[in-house]
Amino acid sequence: MGSYRNRPFMLQWPGSYCDTSSSCCYPTTGKPASDFSIHGLWPNYNNGGYPSSCDPNNPFDISQVSDIESQLQTSWDSLSCPSSDGTSFWTHEWDKHGTCAESLFSQHAYFQSALNLRSSVNPLGGLSAAGINPDDGAYSLTAIQNALTSSLGHTPGVQCSSDASGNNQLYQLYICVATDASTLIDCPVFPTSGCSSTVLFPSF
Ligand code: 5GP
């Protein structure tokens, strides 16, 4: 099993969540920004596996994050259907993943850490600096990985999905973080990528 050193911070590209054969629904707060949003912060084992749903006695309690709720709505919005304000997504992420780090983080600290991490990285800017933009264009996976590595200082895992026509597209970034939930580290393992050598970067 190994230690909990690998703590992936997963970002998603909204254009690719919405571009698949299953539909997406914009949050009740409106269309999100054209930027990477938070999917989750997961306490994984170094072999890539992870514990889940570690404490049914510590369910998500929205009142514990009321002071950062609007920031969560902006940066950790849910695109699944039906439209929601994000509460069900945060509930899922806390109950399944967050409870497995409850010895380190309160509910508030867990969500605040994710928001801090989101503010500390700028993958879209790093891609843009390399001429890679969400313009429905096709880009080389190597160019994407190189741009992200120079922007983050560490190589993230890059995951792709298929759009409604079956085209390979940039979907998620798997950024590895130390147990302090703030220091970026080299990933001990990468998740399955699913990317081909050329991937689309959908507009949103
Ligand atoms: P996980 O991959 O974190 O274990 O589970 C993700 C769950 O959150 C899925 O059941 C999915 O339906 C739900 N969910 C709600 N909103 C979103 C979203 O915007 N993106 C993703 N990836 N999952 C979402």
Side-chain angles (χ1 to χ4, degrees):
M1 298 270 269
S3 65
Y4 281 68
R5 228 157 21 90
N6 175 25
R7 184 177 296 278
F9 179 54
M10 189 69 109
L11 298 178
Q12 62 182 5
W13 179 251
S16 297
Y17 191 93
C18 288
D19 208 3
T20 65
S21 48
S22 40
S23 51
C24 79
C25 290
Y26 290 165
T28 49
T29 44
K31 184 182 177 183
S34 178
D35 202 349
F36 288 92
S37 59
I38 300 170
H39 174 168
L41 176 62
W42 306 333
N44 286 17
Y45 301 121
N46 281 345
N47 66 7
Y50 61 88
S52 69
S53 305
C54 295
D55 188 358
N57 297 315
N58 185 10
F60 179 66
D61 172 8
I62 189 83
S63 72
Q64 295 194 29
V65 295
S66 52
D67 61 321
I68 52 173
E69 194 176 340
S70 66
Q71 292 170 69
L72 290 170
Q73 284 173 347
T74 300
S75 300
W76 200 333
D77 54 275
S78 169
L79 287 165
S80 69
C81 295
S83 290
S84 75
D85 66 356
T87 307
S88 56
F89 193 21
W90 309 329
T91 300
H92 171 88
E93 292 297 317
W94 170 260
D95 292 351
K96 181 174 176 186
H97 302 283
T99 53
C100 300
E102 66 184 4
S103 62
L104 295 172
F105 297 107
S106 66
Q107 293 193 26
H108 189 277
Y110 174 79
F111 286 96
Q112 182 71 61
S113 297
L115 290 173
N116 293 347
L117 272 169
R118 182 64 197 85
S119 307
S120 74
V121 297
N122 183 9
L124 191 62
L127 290 167
S128 174
I132 298 167
N133 295 296
D135 56 5
D136 298 316
Y139 295 95
S140 104
L141 177 62
T142 306
I144 290 172
Q145 284 170 328
N146 289 343
L148 291 169
T149 300
S150 32
S151 164
L152 298 167
H154 299 271
T155 301
V158 175
Q159 290 188 311
C160 292
S161 61
S162 294
D163 71 13
S165 310
N167 299 306
N168 206 250
Q169 58 180 359
L170 181 60
Y171 174 39
Q172 298 200 107
L173 306 181
Y174 180 100
I175 298 170
C176 294
V177 181
T179 41
D180 61 5
S182 73
T183 309
L184 302 193
I185 59 170
D186 287 339
C187 291
V189 291
F190 290 106
T192 306
S193 159
C195 296
S196 22
S197 56
T198 302
V199 305
L200 293 182
F201 195 4
S203 58
F204 183 69

